[in-house]
Amino acid sequence: MNPHHDGSALYVPDQTPALGDTVPVLVRVPAGTDVERVHLRTTPDGEPTFAEATVDRRTDTEVWYRADVQVRNPVTGYRFLLTGRRGRRWLNAAGVVGHDVPDAGDFRLVTYDPPPAWIRDAVVYQVFPDRFARSAAAADRVAPDWAIPCDWDTPVIGRGPETPRQFYGGDLDGVAAHLDHLDRLGVNTLYLTPIFPARSNHRYDAASFDRIDPLLGGDAALARLADAVHARGWRLIGDITSNHTGDAHEWFRAALAGSAAERELYYFDATGDYESWNGVRSLPKLNWGSAELRRRFATAEDSLLRRWLRPPYGLDGWRVDVANMTGRRGADAYTHEVAALLRRAAVQTRPDVLVVGEHGHDHTGDLDRDGWHGTMNYVGFTDPVLSWLKDGDAEVPNFLGTPGGVLRRSAPEVLATMDAYRSMVSWRSYTHSWQLLGSHDSARVRTVVGDAARQEVAAGLLATMPGTPMVFAGDELGLTGTNGEGSRTPMPWHRPESWDRGTLAAYRSLLALRRAEPALRHGGLRRVHVDPDTLVFLREAPTGAVLVLARRAPGVPVRLTGLPAATSVYGGADDLRPDATGTLVLPADGPTFQVWRLAG
């Protein structure tokens, strides 16, 4: 094992530092490692500074070094210089390297107000309202003129002009009627994709932000759902589009009619043409250079961002759609300013609010500022996990916009991808981001991995790796889909015989395990073995540790030294006992997912 440090409480006891604080940080060095001295390197005000670490404690198997970080800047970076008989190496957030590295990969202490404490214990469940469930009242609603009415069993059209027009009629009272399913699954946070009026089934083309779509039951239905969610002690997250509105939005219609107040909210040129999201004319882009937009959207007491966070609705946070493009257009670069503005307005409205920004590719430059608490971690979790577990015969074209779809990769390549993105943000941003196996914008996990066994491995990683797990409604039943639109499958409540009961049981057990083991919610991440088909890692916290084995295929037994006995807590394998040489031998079968709780 290599020397190790991460941002968890085992290594950074002060998890919420303030400017001017002195924060102790610790490095774990396994016995026999070529490390004789450890220096801390920080860059206060941009100038490198070194301080020698001291030995904090020794055990039979390792040495712990301690150093103090002076929190000089709102984001204070640090790394460690390890010196031994064979030379010097760096330990930064990407791991141990023998070459010089830029500061961008340093560990980080962040002093901006922390995310709400509840999110570290959250399991998020994503619902696409049109496809989740209909209440009895839905039968009396007339489909709008843009819609193609569908029966609940009508096949979803995954691509084409009819795709956004298919209307199944799910509503918010239908969601409320199935909260027991979420409870049995083990989730405690409900995230709804947009619920404002629109001219599509996805509703990202909002026609207003001032009311809830009557097709979903209107404002009263949201209030009823919020009451039901909060009565269980859960949280409710909404979805807001900060980058654009729909072309039917009342603001945009007024702008087209010549109103100067609304015209400045968008980008119009001298010919009267306007900027839109990726050239989609129905999604005109908002201009965050407008003070009036900032007032209407966030800063005014009656702004849309604030209104829905207050009673009787009481949303507990926002997922911000297309956060990566918000405020970016040519020379305009308002993104970080807008992120801070939205977060500040939300937190002023209710201090325990969560603000998560959607980002489908490299999110690292937009976190660790006074803005988004985290992101939807497609690039640092979804894509690498699915590429490792991909069924070799599965055809998943254009996954998240990348030509060629999901590539099949080995575990070292997958870990390199994860490390590349994890090392560019603070531990705080990483652990408060949503880790997901898919969403309404991607292929279904079952389609990519091909079978229940590999989906269980994927779900195991979702439940045991750092971050906030997010489950897309229907994944727990084994639903399929080759792209985002095709994955928006109606929940088959009326056909329970179609459910994959084994997958559902696995999700329930894995999420229960996460609730039962504090180390899975609050612990660090230390990898102890990797080969092309196998990942083995530890989640360690001051309260205890667990050992995790994930295999995509059978292999040779993994042999680990320096660890105590361990009790099986998931997967049905035997308990582990060190042999005469002090070695733990992990099983070789696969695909498999196994978890043990370490003694002591």
Side-chain angles (χ1 to χ4, degrees):
M1 297 185 193
N2 281 323
H4 183 75
H5 173 87
D6 59 46
S8 67
L10 200 61
Y11 301 91
V12 184
D14 184 354
Q15 293 284 290
T16 55
L19 277 174
D21 285 354
T22 298
V23 175
V25 294
L26 296 127
V27 177
R28 180 202 299 257
V29 178
T33 307
D34 182 30
V35 174
E36 296 176 343
R37 300 175 68 189
V38 175
H39 285 83
L40 173 79
R41 177 189 183 271
T42 57
T43 53
D45 298 336
E47 182 67 18
T49 300
F50 289 84
E52 186 162 7
T54 59
V55 174
D56 184 76
R57 62 187 183 274
R58 297 179 186 270
T59 70
D60 293 340
T61 58
E62 55 200 14
V63 181
W64 288 76
Y65 288 85
R66 171 184 170 138
D68 289 334
V69 177
Q70 304 297 320
V71 184
R72 173 76 177 177
N73 305 112
V75 179
T76 296
Y78 64 96
R79 65 178 186 255
F80 302 96
L81 182 65
L82 312 176
T83 304
R85 294 182 302 279
R86 295 189 296 274
R88 299 184 303 182
R89 295 173 293 165
W90 291 109
L91 170 58
N92 71 354
V96 177
V97 296
H99 57 273
D100 287 341
V101 289
D103 295 352
D106 284 359
F107 301 106
R108 302 180 187 190
L109 297 176
V110 181
T111 65
Y112 296 121
D113 290 342
W118 59 264
I119 193 62
R120 289 295 295 275
D121 295 319
V123 176
V124 181
Y125 190 80
Q126 182 193 30
V127 163
F128 190 83
D130 184 58
R131 311 289 163 84
F132 191 71
R134 292 169 172 164
S135 70
D140 297 328
R141 298 186 186 120
V142 178
D145 59 0
W146 55 262
I148 301 172
C150 296
D151 294 330
W152 205 246
D153 287 324
T154 300
V156 171
I157 300 171
R159 182 171 285 111
E162 295 179 333
T163 297
R165 299 175 57 209
Q166 282 189 292
F167 178 72
Y168 289 79
D171 60 5
L172 297 183
D173 287 320
V175 177
H178 290 278
L179 293 182
D180 284 347
H181 172 79
L182 277 63
D183 192 24
R184 289 189 294 269
L185 184 61
V187 304
N188 58 17
T189 302
L190 174 61
Y191 154 50
L192 303 171
T193 59
I195 53 178
F196 299 114
R199 293 184 60 78
S200 70
N201 53 42
H202 56 72
R203 294 184 171 89
Y204 284 102
D205 56 333
S208 174
F209 294 127
D210 291 338
R211 61 190 182 279
I212 304 305
D213 195 337
L215 296 172
L216 294 174
D219 295 6
L222 177 60
R224 289 191 294 271
L225 177 59
D227 284 346
V229 167
H230 292 145
R232 295 172 182 260
W234 299 355
R235 307 283 176 161
L236 182 61
I237 308 295
D239 198 326
I240 191 69
T241 52
S242 58
N243 178 72
H244 54 263
T245 67
D247 61 354
H249 197 285
E250 50 211 18
W251 297 349
F252 189 69
R253 305 311 296 176
L256 288 179
S259 169
E262 279 76 19
R263 204 168 179 83
E264 75 167 60
L265 308 181
Y266 300 89
Y267 286 99
F268 285 92
D269 64 22
T271 70
D273 196 12
Y274 59 91
E275 187 90 7
S276 59
W277 175 79
N278 279 356
V280 178
R281 300 293 291 170
S282 61
L283 302 175
K285 185 175 178 68
L286 290 167
N287 178 4
W288 281 93
S290 164
E292 177 63 12
L293 175 62
R294 298 184 182 209
R295 189 191 70 79
R296 293 187 187 192
F297 207 100
T299 61
E301 279 300 307
D302 59 350
S303 69
L304 69 98
L305 196 76
R306 296 175 186 263
R307 176 188 174 186
W308 302 106
L309 298 175
R310 296 190 177 109
Y313 316 107
L315 293 181
D316 298 284
W318 292 106
R319 178 263 198 188
V320 181
D321 180 57
V322 201
N324 54 301
M325 293 184 73
T326 295
R328 288 188 168 112
R329 189 256 188 185
D332 287 354
Y334 303 118
T335 300
H336 300 145
E337 192 178 329
V338 173
L341 176 76
L342 299 188
R343 175 175 165 177
R344 185 166 56 250
V347 172
Q348 286 172 351
T349 307
R350 51 176 305 171
D352 62 344
V353 75
L354 177 73
V355 185
V356 171
E358 182 205 18
H359 212 310
H361 56 105
D362 182 7
H363 54 259
T364 58
D366 288 345
L367 299 184
D368 291 331
R369 300 170 182 268
D370 196 12
W372 320 128
H373 289 129
T375 188
M376 298 178 76
N377 192 12
Y378 288 108
V379 291
F381 185 85
T382 315
D383 197 20
V385 168
L386 296 187
S387 68
W388 183 52
L389 295 171
K390 179 180 181 290
D391 176 8
D393 296 326
E395 294 186 9
V396 188
N398 202 34
F399 185 80
L400 293 175
T402 301
V406 180
L407 299 176
R408 183 172 167 84
R409 295 186 172 97
S410 68
E413 294 172 311
V414 164
L415 295 184
T417 300
M418 289 182 168
D419 289 344
Y421 289 102
R422 180 179 50 80
S423 66
M424 299 288 284
V425 298
S426 68
W427 182 258
R428 187 172 93 174
S429 287
Y430 174 58
T431 56
H432 288 88
S433 290
W434 292 357
Q435 317 293 11
L436 59 158
L437 298 173
S439 73
H440 70 295
D441 281 331
S442 74
R444 289 271 187 182
V445 56
R446 174 58 68 85
T447 296
V448 178
V449 304
D451 62 30
R454 282 192 292 268
Q455 185 173 352
E456 182 180 0
V457 177
L461 293 173
L462 182 72
T464 60
M465 289 195 71
T468 303
M470 192 205 88
V471 177
F472 178 34
D475 279 353
E476 75 276 17
L477 305 181
L479 299 189
T480 58
T482 58
N483 67 358
E485 290 81 0
S487 296
R488 300 169 187 177
T489 315
M491 288 288 282
W493 302 114
H494 63 301
R495 289 187 287 106
E497 70 281 359
S498 70
W499 300 7
D500 185 331
R501 296 286 178 175
T503 294
L504 178 57
Y507 271 73
R508 287 175 176 173
S509 296
L510 286 163
L511 296 179
L513 177 67
R514 185 178 180 88
R515 291 195 307 275
E517 298 291 344
L520 295 179
R521 305 189 310 278
H522 303 284
L525 175 66
R526 186 161 62 111
R527 301 196 185 107
V528 293
H529 174 84
V530 58
D531 64 52
D533 295 323
T534 312
L535 297 174
V536 184
F537 57 89
L538 290 161
R539 296 296 312 279
E540 299 165 306
T543 54
V546 296
L547 175 68
V548 178
L549 165 68
R551 284 189 184 274
R552 70 178 181 183
V556 298
V558 175
R559 302 174 66 85
L560 302 175
T561 58
L563 295 176
T567 302
S568 176
V569 292
Y570 183 84
D574 293 335
D575 295 345
L576 301 176
R577 297 286 182 269
D579 63 17
T581 67
T583 301
L584 297 182
V585 182
L586 277 59
D589 56 308
T592 189
F593 192 81
Q594 312 281 347
V595 184
W596 296 265
R597 182 187 302 116
L598 297 186

